[in-house]
Amino acid sequence: MAPLPDGFSYAEWNATYNGLSFGIAAMGSATIFFWLQLPNVTKSYRTALTITGIVTLIATYHYIRIFNSWSEAFTVASKDGGDYHVKLTGAPFNDGYRYVDWLLTVPLLLIELILVMKLPQEETVSLSWKLGLASALMVALGYPGEIQEDLSVRWFWWCLSMIPFCYVVFTLAVGLAESTSKQPSPAAASLVSAARYLTVLSWCTYPFVYMVKSVGLAGPAATMYEQVGYSIADVMAKAVFGVLIWAIASEKSAVEESGKLLPK
């Protein structure tokens, strides 16, 4: 990654610090919640809920690493009771952890949605492979641009990564519409639809955050907006999305259990 710019104000440093801390708390608590809920859903949906917890667990680990790297990159001190001053220590700030995280978790996010929809096996396998590989390719293509300061190079890799991005978003928004309507209850269909569109909405924030350094912002402010923006998008795309996955699994489990209890 490129060296951090000098001249961070305490407010800019603190906003990033708190954004990363928020990410740790949200992902960690979500992991505990999802795994505690495993006994409360039927066996058909436990794999999806387990994967949901794995996603937030991976994210928790990487947020801890990013948080520690951020803390080690600065010294923050107040002299004689005055304002806090932020100085670089010279230690590198490695937010490449984000891309390692996304390479693992983004395909799993899509797979857990496909699994909880309980589509026919052939369609489940096909969609899991297609969406998983496309999302991994999207992340891999985005990383070379992220580590560049040359704006033309950043735009080149951004455009390349948008190709698989558009394929995944189109599949979620349009390709799965018919399957959504076939869910076993109106509530389940509504929750699946909400999960699809939350994914599309949260994913659409990433390209804009990626472009922060390409639209005139630079220095500490650009770094702050980038880190806080990615943190909020991650919580929406993983923790909040995971809550919807749990809600879908819970609703469909209840429908299936009530069907078994009906007199024959």
Side-chain angles (χ1 to χ4, degrees):
M1 303 299 290
L4 284 169
D6 202 358
F8 276 87
S9 68
Y10 177 68
E12 291 167 334
W13 175 86
N14 197 42
T16 304
Y17 183 95
N18 290 331
L20 296 172
S21 179
F22 171 69
I24 295 171
M27 302 297 187
S29 58
T31 302
I32 296 169
F33 173 77
F34 298 144
W35 286 349
L36 286 176
Q37 290 300 314
L38 281 172
N40 298 327
V41 300
T42 60
K43 187 176 180 180
S44 302
Y45 304 107
R46 287 176 187 167
T47 300
L49 201 56
T50 299
I51 293 174
T52 305
I54 291 172
V55 165
T56 50
L57 178 64
I58 293 171
T60 302
Y61 167 76
H62 284 111
Y63 264 86
I64 291 172
R65 298 300 300 268
I66 297 169
F67 178 86
N68 289 341
S69 183
W70 180 260
S71 299
E72 292 165 3
F74 298 91
T75 57
V76 181
S78 172
K79 186 176 181 181
D80 300 326
D83 294 337
Y84 285 102
H85 296 282
V86 181
K87 294 183 179 180
L88 295 173
T89 63
F93 171 57
N94 182 10
D95 67 344
Y97 290 122
R98 287 195 186 278
Y99 279 82
V100 177
D101 176 87
W102 292 337
L103 196 60
L104 295 170
T105 59
V106 172
L108 290 175
L109 284 168
L110 297 172
I111 290 171
E112 71 190 56
L113 176 60
I114 299 302
L115 287 175
V116 83
M117 289 180 71
K118 205 175 181 182
L119 303 172
Q121 184 176 357
E122 184 177 346
E123 187 178 359
T124 296
V125 173
S126 176
L127 278 171
S128 295
W129 275 106
K130 289 177 182 177
L131 293 179
L133 289 174
S135 60
L137 180 62
M138 173 190 71
V139 174
L141 289 173
Y143 182 69
E146 187 72 73
I147 61 176
Q148 295 292 329
E149 293 297 316
D150 188 321
L151 295 185
S152 62
V153 177
R154 286 180 67 85
W155 278 110
F156 171 77
W157 288 106
W158 182 87
C159 291
L160 284 184
S161 66
M162 287 300 291
I163 297 171
F165 172 88
C166 289
Y167 166 74
V168 174
V169 168
F170 177 82
T171 302
L172 289 172
V174 179
L176 291 176
E178 183 178 352
S179 299
T180 301
S181 65
K182 296 178 181 178
Q183 296 301 303
S185 73
S190 177
L191 287 167
V192 170
S193 181
R196 287 167 48 222
Y197 288 115
L198 174 64
T199 305
V200 171
L201 179 64
S202 62
W203 276 35
C204 284
T205 62
Y206 289 97
F208 290 104
V209 176
Y210 186 98
M211 291 189 297
V212 161
K213 294 179 180 177
S214 305
V215 293
L217 282 175
T223 300
M224 178 197 68
Y225 285 124
E226 184 178 62
Q227 295 302 318
V228 173
Y230 279 147
S231 298
I232 294 171
D234 275 349
V235 170
M236 293 294 293
K238 295 171 186 174
V240 177
F241 176 78
V243 171
L244 284 176
I245 294 297
W246 161 76
I248 295 166
S250 182
E251 168 64 20
K252 294 178 74 172
S253 294
V255 171
E256 292 177 9
E257 288 296 325
S258 64
K260 291 177 182 177
L261 294 174
L262 290 175
K264 296 183 180 179

